[in-house]
Every structure is written in structure tokens, then in C-alpha cells.
Amino acid sequence: MPFPYRGRFAPSPTGPLHFGSLIAALGSCLDARQQGGTWLLRMEDVDTSRNVPGAADDILRTLAAFGFEWDGPVLYQSQRLAAYGAALEQLKQAGLAYGCACSRKEIADSATHAAIDGGLAYPGTCRKGLPDGRAARAWRLRVDNGEVAFIDRLQGRVVQHLEDDVGDFVLRRADGLFAYQLAVVVDDAWQGITDVVRGADLLASTPRQIALQRSLGYPEPVYAHLPVAANPAGEKLSKQTLAQALRVDQASAELVAALRFLGQAVPGELGRASVAEVWAWARAHWSFAAVPRQALIVLPA
Ligand code: GLU
């Protein structure tokens, strides 16, 4: 018997939800509901340097106004620091995490190639121990060059060789904050997440998360990376590209647009329906098989 489906939506409170976030919320929720699963909400506020005051509450209000119903209390990553610390300790004890003294400049001066998702692949300078007289600033996971592969339900087989593709990556940053990669893996395991449905902008992070799951002895969820919406200039919708906030007074129309983006054959008359009617249609007709298998879809101007 497989474990019962448990999915989640995990926004970062760095600003209001936009159309791109709605796609991830809707896709993860409808997939969970169709499979008779649980759907949890997790506020990824671990990076306090990026949190915007009031954004977490605004996200919850917007989701509720858009008709989302999540199961159980919202998990806040800012309340989970002890768990991240314990996971890091476990990795240190196992010799899998090591302290790194390198500054950004030192890495820039010594790196030999770019990492798969931008930035620089860490050249492994502190792998064999800290240079004399230097203290650890950050903590990194020791990776190897073996193949880390998984089959994404939408994007197919994804393979990385972590040592070449990203290098030993950061678990705890020089500013003391726990890295997204560690927090997401610890929380997905703790919340018993069986299925991660999220935007394809995170596809390149997944092999790192799988490597961490293996290092910590956690189960590996099944992954589906949804197409990401881009503006007509080809840029992913985000706060950085000034994506418009979702409009609560247009909730039905925005939901219908998100369903169409996800390949669903929404009937024309649903454009004038209420939020509850759109949800009733979506829950009755959701077809995962209709979701486009692209990683990026450019929205018309
Ligand atoms: N908090 C991440 C974001 O907003 C999503 C993390 C995830 O779904 O794994 O991009």
C-alpha cells in the first residue's frame, strides 16, 4: 500500500502572490485533492533578509479569498530552526557537512565554472579542512559526482552530477541563516510530504534536495514541476520582474486563467462564474494529463 498522498504549497513571504504563485498553488492543490490527499501550507520565511512585513498574512488572506482550503495549521519555517540545526548536526556527525571559510570573492577568484542554475560551482577549497587560522563562515554538504537522477511526472528524467553541476552546496549561510535547500528537505520529511508539485524554476534544485534526503535517511517524494509563466519578455513572473499582485476582486477570472495555463479545457461560461463554481468545476474535471510538459510558457502580451 503506498503512503496516502500528502502535498503542499510553500510560498515565501517576499511579497504578494502573483499569477505564477497561483499556478503552483492551484496545480499542487488540485493534484492532491484528485488523489484523495492532504494539502498543507508552509510559509517559507526562513530567509529573514527577504521577508516583507505583512506579506505572510496577505498571502493567507489572498489564498482564502481565492477559495483555497488547506488542511491543518500553517507551518512557519521561522519556528523550525531547532529542527534545521538538528539535521545539520546529524550531517556534521556523519562527516557529510563541513565548515567553509571562503568569502564570495575567494570563490569568485578560484571557481572554474558556472553552476547549473547560475552562480559558481563551489571549487571545494575547504573540503579537506579549513585553511590555517581561518574560521568556518558557512556549512556545506559534501557531494560526489555520482549520478543523481529522478523521473519528474511532467519534465521526465532529470540527471545531475552534483560535484560538477553545483559543487558542495550551502546548508547554513555565513549570516547564520539556514539555506532553503536544507529547510525544504527537513520540512518535507517532517510533514510527511509524498508529492511535491511546484514550479519548474525549482527543477534544478531537486537533485540537491534528493542528495540531502539520502544523506539524512529521509524518504524521497515524487516530483512534478509545473510550467512556469513568463512575461512577454520571456522573464519568469516574480517580484523581481514586477509581476502584478493577484486581484482578489478578479479571483474567478484569475483562477480560470490559471486553469487554462495548466492546460485544462475550461468552458467559456466559467469566465462569469463565482469562485465556488470555478472550484467545483476544477475539482470535478482536473486532468493532470492535460498539463503542458514545458518548463516555461510565455504569456501573451
Ligand atoms: N518557497 C519556494 C518559493 O516560493 C518554494 C519552495 C518549494 O515549493 O519547494 O519559490
Side-chain angles (χ1 to χ4, degrees), residues 249-263:
D249 60 345
Q250 304 280 321
S252 311
E254 301 245 39
L255 284 166
V256 165
L259 286 167
R260 292 218 167 100
F261 181 92
L262 288 169

Side-chain angles (χ1 to χ4, degrees), residues 18 22 39 57 74 95 106 118 131-132 138 164 239 259 278 281-282:
H18 50 74
L22 179 61
W39 185 66
D57 287 342
V74 179
E106 286 168 325
D132 279 349
D164 280 349
K239 207 177 90 169
L259 286 167
V278 176
W281 184 89

Side-chain angles (χ1 to χ4, degrees), residues 177-265:
L177 297 179
F178 290 102
Y180 156 71
Q181 307 290 358
L182 180 67
V184 80
V185 163
V186 170
D187 287 341
D188 280 340
W190 192 68
Q191 293 188 289
I193 300 301
T194 60
D195 287 74
V196 173
V197 179
R198 62 184 177 191
D201 49 326
L202 291 163
L203 191 60
S205 285
T206 305
R208 262 168 281 180
Q209 294 173 15
I210 290 174
L212 263 175
Q213 287 151 5
R214 293 177 184 167
S215 301
L216 287 161
Y218 296 163
E220 288 173 35
V222 175
Y223 287 93
H225 286 85
L226 302 168
V228 164
N231 63 24
E235 303 157 330
K236 179 191 106 142
L237 299 190
S238 70
K239 207 177 90 169
Q240 288 73 29
T241 60
L242 307 177
Q244 218 182 53
L246 287 176
R247 289 169 45 185
V248 168
D249 60 345
Q250 304 280 321
S252 311
E254 301 245 39
L255 284 166
V256 165
L259 286 167
R260 292 218 167 100
F261 181 92
L262 288 169
Q264 308 302 300

Side-chain angles (χ1 to χ4, degrees), residues 7 13 84 105 110 170 243 248 256 267 288:
Y84 309 146
K105 176 162 188 331
S110 57
V170 172
V248 168
V256 165
F288 185 83

